[in-house]
Amino acid sequence: MRDSGKRANTTAHSPLTTDLLRRLAPRQVLTSLAERRNYRYDAIQFGETPLAVVLPESTADVVVAVKAARAAGVPIVGRGAASGLSGGAAPLRESLVISFTRMTGLRLDPVRREAHAQAGVVTLAVSDAARPHGLIYPPDPASFRTSTIGGNLAENAGGPMCFKYGVSGDYVKGLEVVDAHGEVHTLTRDAYDLAGLLIGSEGTLGLMTEAALRLLPPPRFTRTLMAHFPEVGACAEAVSQAIAAGAVPSKLEFMDRACTNAVEDYLVLGLPRGAEAVLLVDTDGDDLETVEEERALVEQACVAAGGTVRRAGTDAEAAALWQARRSVSPALGRIRPQRMNEDIAVPRSALPEVVREIRVLGDASPFPVVQFGHIGDGNLHPNILFDPRQDDAEAVHHLAHQIALVALRHGGVLSGEHGIGSMKRDFMTDALDPVTLDVLRDVKRTLDPADLLNPGKVLP
Amino acid sequence: MRDSGKRANTTAHSPLTTDLLRRLAPRQVLTSLAERRNYRYDAIQFGETPLAVVLPESTADVVVAVKAARAAGVPIVGRGAASGLSGGAAPLRESLVISFTRMTGLRLDPVRREAHAQAGVVTLAVSDAARPHGLIYPPDPASFRTSTIGGNLAENAGGPMCFKYGVSGDYVKGLEVVDAHGEVHTLTRDAYDLAGLLIGSEGTLGLMTEAALRLLPPPRFTRTLMAHFPEVGACAEAVSQAIAAGAVPSKLEFMDRACTNAVEDYLVLGLPRGAEAVLLVDTDGDDLETVEEERALVEQACVAAGGTVRRAGTDAEAAALWQARRSVSPALGRIRPQRMNEDIAVPRSALPEVVREIRVLGDASPFPVVQFGHIGDGNLHPNILFDPRQDDAEAVHHLAHQIALVALRHGGVLSGEHGIGSMKRDFMTDALDPVTLDVLRDVKRTLDPADLLNPGKVLP
C-alpha cells in the first residue's frame, strides 16, 4: 500500500492541514489516516488516500478550502456520496477532498417550480420535499437514495426516466460555482452557457455548490410490463417498433441473460432464466387511457417481435418487477468483487448488433460480461466482472477498450450517464480528434490554469 | 455614411479579397459595394459594410475563408438569413461576412429520428422534409420560414412552442464546427459540452457548419383559444393558475393593449381594442380528450381571472387567431421605422409587476412602447418604437437599459431567445459579476485568441 509511508500525516500535519485547521472549525477538517482512507474511492474505483478532507457547511467554507489548497499547490477533488461509477470522485494524486455531504440546504419555490439545493442534498430528498407541493424532480439515477445533487450534476447523471424526461443537466436553471481561484460565480443558462460546460465536467472546471433545479408535476398514472425474448435483437426490435408506433415510455430497461440469471441467483424472483433478453417498461401520464394505450402499443410490439409479456396488475406487482432491475448491482457484486462498468450509448437501430458483438467479446474473454441498461435511448452498461486480487488489470482494461470501440464504430459515444472519470479517460482519444481534444485541454487550462481541479479525469 | 470613403474596394481588391478569389470560385466571393452593402444588417440593426462576403458551398469552403481572413487579420462574421433581432449578424467592424445560405444540405434519418442539416438550411425545411416520415422539428422562431438552422443555433432561438418543447439547443445531438484557426471539429453532447457552449454564442466562439437535430412525432391534436382581460395582471394570473392546475399548453402568447391595437390598425381582425391583455393559447397532444381537458383548464383559469374567452372551432378559426400574433412585427413597423426589441425572461410569478413597471417606463418616455411575448415561460418582448432620423439614439438605449434593469431586479435574465448581440451587450455588466465576466472573456480568448470571430458581440 502506497499509504504506509505516510502515516506520519496522522500526527505531524502538512502545511495545508495546518492552514485548514486555522481557518475552519475542527469538525470540518479530517486529518487522521483512518478517516482520510474513507475518502479515496467511489462506487467502482480506488484512488489515492487524500492528504486532508474538508466537510464544508457553506460556500464560504468551500472558498476557504480552495484557496488553501491552491496556496499549497495541492489538487482538489470534489465528492458527493461517492456513488459514481467512473472513478470521478477517486483522487488520482494526494489531494484535498472536499466532501459536500454537510451542505444540505434545500429551499422550495413551488410557484416558480424550482428547488434551490446545495451540492450535498441527496437526490431523492428533492422530490420528497417537492411532493407535498404536487411536484417532483425527475432525474433518477440508480443511486438516487444516496447520491447527491452535486455529484449528479458533476457526472450529468441519467437514470431510467431519462428517455422521456431528460438527464440531470436538463433540469438546471442556474448554478453557484466556486472556480479554481476560489471565486464564486452565479450562473444562469445564458450565452455563454458556462453552467452547461460545468455540468458533466466532473469537478475538473469548477466546484458546483448550489443549483436551481426545475421541478415538474408527477404523472398521475403509471403502468408497468415485463417482456422476455428468445433473442437480444428481437428485444431491441420490439423497442424500436413500439417507439415508432408512437409510444414514449417513461422507462425502458433491458437485462441480458447473464444479468437476469445473476439477479435470479441472488433473489429468486421467478425471472425467466432461459430468456436472452428481459425488458422492463413503464408508461406514464395524466390520462389513464393514453397511458394504457401506450402500454398496449409496447405489448403489441413485444409480441410481434416474438416476446412473452407479463403485465403488472397492481402497484405491488409493478414494484416486484422493478426490484429485479434495481438489484442488478448487488447481484453482480456476488459474482466477482469488482467490475468495470461501461456506459456506452449507441443509436437504437444499432443496438441488436452492438449487444451481439459485445456478447462475442465477452464469451471470448476470461471474464464474466453482463449487459443491461436504458435501451430506450441506447444507453448500455456492459459490465466486466473481475477479481482484482487474481485477475490481470491490463486484460480488463483491454476488453473495456474493445467494448468502447464497438460503440464508437456504431456511431455511439463513451458515456451515456456515468461520466468519463478515470475509467474511460484513455478511450477519449478514440472518440475525439486530436484537434478537438486540444480545444478541450485549452478550455480546461483556461478555467483551471494550475491543473488543481480533479487532475487526471476526463481528458487523456 | 462611413462607407463613402471605401468605394475604392469595388474595383481595387483588398489583399483578403484577392486571396479569396484565388482560392474560391468567383460565384462564392462578393466584392462589389452594391452586393456587400446587403450584408451589413440583421432584422433590427445596421452595421459596417463588410470588406468581402463569402458564400461557402461546403465546410471546406468555410475553412478556406476562415484561414484567409485569419491570415489577413480581418474579423469574421457568420450570417444565416439575418432575421435575428439582437444585431448578432451585423458586423461592427470591417469584416469578412460568411453567409451560409448556400449550405443547404439536408439528410433525414427517420429510424434515428435525426436530421443532419447544414447551417444554411431554412428552419421550416427541416419539418417539411421530416413530415412524410411522421416527424417534425419543434423549434419555431417567428422567422422560421426564412431563418436558418445555423442562425437559430447561434442565437439559441426559441419560439411559441418553447414552453412545452424547449429551445433550439435542446434539439442538438451533435455539431460540426469550424474554429477560429480553421480547424474542423465534430462534437457530440459529451463532457465537456463544447457543443452546448457554441450554441447561443452568436458566432463568437466558432462557426457551426452542420448540426444533427433531434426530431419528434408531431402531436395528433391541437386546440386553440383566445382570451382577453381588462388588466394585465389578471392575464398573468390566469396563466399561472392554468399551469398550476396541470395544463401544459404548447403555446402561450401575450399581447398588451398597444400591441393589439397596432395589429388591429394593420389588419382589422376584430381584436378587442379595449382589452389591456390578449392571450393566445394552444394545447396539443395525441389524446384528444386530454388536449380538450387542458384547454378547459386554461379556459376556467381565464374566466376565473376575469377574462373573456373565445374558442377556435375549426383549424381555419385557429389560424385566424394566430394570424394576429404573427402580424405583430409588420404591424409595429408601420408605427415607427425602427424598434429596439428586448427579450427579457422573468419568473412567471413576477410577470404582472414587470409588465406594469415597463408600462410606466414606456408611458413616461417619448417613445411608443409595446409588449408581447411567450408568457408561459416569462419571456417578454418589450419593443421601443422609434425613428432613427429624428429620435435620440441615446434616449432609446437608456430606456432599453431601464427595461433590462426591471427584468434583472425581478430575478430575470436579459435574453430569452434572441441572444445578446450588440444591442444588449452593455447590459451584461448588470447581469453578471465582474469575475464571471472575466471567466467568459477567458473562454472567448481561449477559443478565439485573435478576437476574429464576430468581435464586439455578447461580451461588453
Side-chain angles (χ1 to χ4, degrees):
Chain A
M1 293 260 88
R2 295 199 209 173
D3 290 308
S4 48
K6 288 166 189 154
R7 300 249 163 152
N9 287 332
T10 320
T11 48
H13 290 149
S14 70
L16 171 61
T17 311
T18 309
D19 192 23
L20 289 168
L21 285 168
R22 203 159 48 80
R23 295 169 190 275
L24 295 168
R27 67 173 184 282
Q28 297 185 302
V29 187
L30 306 182
T31 58
S32 80
L33 180 62
E35 288 174 313
R36 288 185 285 118
R37 283 173 64 92
N38 295 332
Y39 290 83
R40 69 183 158 141
Y41 52 80
D42 68 4
I44 202 145
Q45 184 130 321
F46 276 86
E48 198 70 18
T49 298
L51 197 58
V53 177
V54 165
L55 297 158
E57 290 158 26
S58 67
T59 301
D61 294 341
V62 177
V63 169
V64 166
V66 168
K67 288 189 170 170
R70 187 174 183 82
V74 172
I76 298 159
V77 180
R79 178 182 161 112
S83 52
L85 293 167
S86 63
L92 296 180
R93 296 197 242 147
E94 230 184 21
S95 304
L96 171 67
V97 165
I98 301 183
S99 171
F100 285 94
T101 47
R102 287 186 192 161
M103 282 182 65
T104 54
L106 177 60
R107 186 170 59 75
L108 269 282
D109 187 337
V111 174
R112 292 192 190 180
R113 292 191 175 178
E114 282 179 20
H116 294 260
Q118 282 185 312
V121 169
V122 168
T123 315
L124 180 61
V126 181
S127 279
D128 281 349
R131 205 167 280 113
H133 304 284
L135 297 166
I136 56 164
Y137 173 65
D140 62 341
S143 54
F144 72 123
R145 288 167 202 283
T146 50
S147 67
T148 62
I149 292 297
N152 289 173
L153 295 180
E155 303 294 335
N156 202 4
M161 302 256 282
C162 276
F163 173 61
K164 183 168 180 180
Y165 293 97
V167 294
S168 300
D170 294 327
Y171 288 84
V172 175
K173 298 175 94 171
L175 284 182
E176 185 188 72
V177 171
V178 175
D179 73 14
H181 305 271
E183 299 287 350
V184 182
H185 304 277
T186 304
L187 305 172
T188 55
R189 302 302 302 263
D190 281 318
Y192 307 152
D193 186 10
L194 208 54
L197 190 66
L198 269 286
I199 294 164
S201 73
E202 311 191 16
T204 62
L205 303 178
L207 295 166
M208 295 182 260
T209 47
E210 190 173 327
L213 302 170
R214 195 160 57 93
L215 305 172
L216 291 184
R220 285 165 61 199
F221 303 102
T222 302
R223 289 293 176 266
T224 300
L225 69 79
M226 181 186 272
H228 60 89
F229 299 85
E231 199 262 324
V232 166
C235 173
E237 185 56 32
V239 168
S240 286
Q241 285 306 318
I243 294 172
V248 185
S250 56
K251 302 183 187 175
L252 264 174
E253 296 290 303
F254 149 82
M255 302 191 296
D256 76 352
R257 182 180 184 143
C259 185
T260 304
N261 279 279
V263 173
E264 191 59 19
D265 288 345
Y266 177 42
L267 290 179
V268 198
L269 297 166
L271 299 174
R273 281 184 179 278
E276 286 298 322
V278 168
L279 184 68
L280 269 160
V281 183
D282 269 7
T283 59
D284 72 10
D286 291 338
D287 181 65
L288 184 57
E289 211 178 306
T290 309
V291 174
E292 294 199 324
E293 231 174 73
E294 285 196 68
R295 180 168 66 173
L297 287 175
V298 176
E299 198 171 322
Q300 285 154 22
C302 288
V303 171
T308 306
V309 173
R310 196 172 129 195
R311 286 185 190 191
T314 63
D315 285 359
E317 248 183 271
L321 292 181
W322 278 105
Q323 199 193 349
R325 174 64 182 86
R326 268 199 306 274
S327 306
V328 167
S329 278
L332 299 180
R334 294 172 74 241
I335 300 176
R336 292 287 187 282
Q338 210 162 334
R339 58 197 172 111
M340 168 88 191
N341 183 344
E342 298 225 36
D343 176 37
I344 56 175
V346 299
R348 215 163 37 233
S349 54
L351 270 171
E353 242 181 299
V354 166
V355 170
R356 271 185 229 118
E357 285 185 33
I358 293 173
R359 181 74 273 139
V360 168
L361 285 172
D363 290 345
S365 87
F367 308 109
V369 171
V370 306
Q371 300 189 65
F372 58 96
H374 316 303
I375 198 168
D377 45 13
N379 185 195
L380 274 186
H381 298 311
N383 271 235
I384 307 168
L385 311 182
F386 66 101
D387 184 342
R389 293 162 300 192
Q390 298 172 8
D391 294 322
D392 176 13
E394 197 64 37
V396 173
H397 189 82
H398 178 74
L399 178 56
H401 191 191
Q402 297 305 111
I403 292 172
L405 290 175
V406 171
L408 296 175
R409 206 160 49 231
H410 286 278
V413 298
L414 293 177
S415 172
E417 56 173 10
H418 294 168
I420 300 296
S422 51
M423 295 194 73
K424 284 158 286 181
R425 184 192 59 191
D426 297 339
F427 310 159
M428 287 284 274
T429 47
D430 302 310
L432 294 172
D433 274 53
V435 284
T436 302
L437 272 174
D438 281 345
V439 173
L440 298 187
R441 287 193 188 101
D442 286 345
V443 169
K444 164 75 171 164
R445 207 173 298 122
T446 302
L447 295 176
D448 179 22
D451 196 21
L452 285 178
L453 296 176
N454 212 358
K457 304 295 169 62
V458 185
L459 293 178
Chain B
M1 292 257 88
R2 293 199 211 175
D3 288 308
S4 50
K6 286 163 191 157
R7 301 245 163 153
N9 288 333
T10 323
T11 47
H13 289 148
S14 69
L16 171 61
T17 312
T18 309
D19 191 24
L20 289 168
L21 285 168
R22 203 159 47 80
R23 293 170 192 277
L24 296 167
R27 68 172 183 283
Q28 297 184 303
V29 188
L30 306 183
T31 58
S32 80
L33 180 62
E35 287 174 313
R36 288 185 284 118
R37 282 172 66 94
N38 294 333
Y39 291 84
R40 67 183 159 140
Y41 53 80
D42 68 4
I44 202 144
Q45 184 130 322
F46 275 86
E48 197 72 16
T49 299
L51 197 59
V53 177
V54 164
L55 297 159
E57 288 159 26
S58 67
T59 301
D61 294 341
V62 177
V63 169
V64 166
V66 168
K67 289 189 170 170
R70 189 175 181 79
V74 171
I76 298 159
V77 179
R79 179 183 161 113
S83 53
L85 292 168
S86 64
L92 296 181
R93 297 197 244 147
E94 229 183 23
S95 304
L96 172 67
V97 164
I98 301 183
S99 171
F100 285 94
T101 46
R102 287 186 191 162
M103 282 184 65
T104 55
L106 177 61
R107 185 169 59 75
L108 270 282
D109 187 336
V111 175
R112 293 193 190 180
R113 292 190 175 179
E114 280 177 21
H116 294 260
Q118 282 186 312
V121 170
V122 169
T123 315
L124 180 61
V126 181
S127 279
D128 281 349
R131 205 166 281 115
H133 304 283
L135 297 166
I136 56 164
Y137 173 66
D140 62 341
S143 53
F144 72 122
R145 289 167 201 281
T146 50
S147 66
T148 62
I149 291 297
N152 289 173
L153 296 179
E155 303 294 334
N156 201 6
M161 303 257 283
C162 276
F163 174 61
K164 182 167 181 181
Y165 293 97
V167 293
S168 300
D170 294 327
Y171 289 83
V172 175
K173 299 176 94 170
L175 284 183
E176 183 186 75
V177 171
V178 175
D179 72 14
H181 306 272
E183 299 285 351
V184 181
H185 305 277
T186 303
L187 305 172
T188 55
R189 303 302 302 262
D190 280 319
Y192 307 155
D193 185 10
L194 208 53
L197 191 65
L198 267 287
I199 294 164
S201 74
E202 312 191 16
T204 63
L205 303 178
L207 294 166
M208 297 182 258
T209 46
E210 190 172 327
L213 301 170
R214 193 161 60 91
L215 304 174
L216 291 184
R220 284 165 62 201
F221 304 102
T222 301
R223 289 294 176 264
T224 299
L225 69 78
M226 181 186 272
H228 60 90
F229 298 84
E231 200 262 326
V232 166
C235 173
E237 184 56 31
V239 168
S240 287
Q241 286 307 319
I243 294 171
V248 185
S250 57
K251 302 182 186 174
L252 263 174
E253 296 289 306
F254 150 81
M255 302 190 296
D256 76 353
R257 181 178 185 147
C259 186
T260 304
N261 279 281
V263 173
E264 191 58 20
D265 287 345
Y266 177 41
L267 290 179
V268 197
L269 297 166
L271 299 174
R273 282 186 179 274
E276 286 298 320
V278 168
L279 185 67
L280 270 162
V281 183
D282 270 6
T283 60
D284 73 7
D286 291 339
D287 180 65
L288 183 57
E289 212 178 305
T290 311
V291 175
E292 295 198 324
E293 231 173 74
E294 285 197 71
R295 180 169 66 173
L297 288 176
V298 176
E299 199 170 322
Q300 285 153 24
C302 288
V303 170
T308 308
V309 173
R310 196 171 130 195
R311 287 186 190 189
T314 62
D315 285 359
E317 247 182 276
L321 292 181
W322 279 106
Q323 199 194 347
R325 174 65 182 85
R326 269 200 306 274
S327 306
V328 167
S329 279
L332 298 181
R334 295 173 72 241
I335 299 177
R336 292 285 186 283
Q338 209 161 336
R339 56 196 174 113
M340 168 88 193
N341 184 342
E342 298 225 34
D343 176 39
I344 56 175
V346 299
R348 217 165 32 235
S349 54
L351 271 172
E353 241 180 301
V354 167
V355 170
R356 271 184 231 121
E357 286 185 32
I358 293 173
R359 182 72 274 142
V360 169
L361 285 173
D363 289 346
S365 87
F367 308 109
V369 170
V370 306
Q371 301 189 64
F372 58 95
H374 317 303
I375 198 167
D377 46 12
N379 185 194
L380 274 187
H381 298 312
N383 271 236
I384 307 168
L385 311 183
F386 66 101
D387 183 341
R389 292 161 300 189
Q390 297 171 9
D391 293 323
D392 175 15
E394 197 63 38
V396 173
H397 189 83
H398 178 74
L399 178 56
H401 190 192
Q402 296 306 110
I403 292 173
L405 290 175
V406 170
L408 296 173
R409 207 159 49 230
H410 286 278
V413 297
L414 293 178
S415 172
E417 56 173 10
H418 295 168
I420 300 296
S422 51
M423 295 194 72
K424 283 159 286 181
R425 183 192 61 190
D426 297 338
F427 310 159
M428 289 283 274
T429 46
D430 302 309
L432 294 172
D433 273 59
V435 285
T436 302
L437 271 174
D438 281 346
V439 172
L440 299 187
R441 288 195 188 98
D442 287 346
V443 169
K444 163 73 172 169
R445 207 173 296 120
T446 302
L447 295 175
D448 179 23
D451 196 21
L452 285 178
L453 296 176
N454 212 0
K457 302 297 168 62
V458 186
L459 293 178

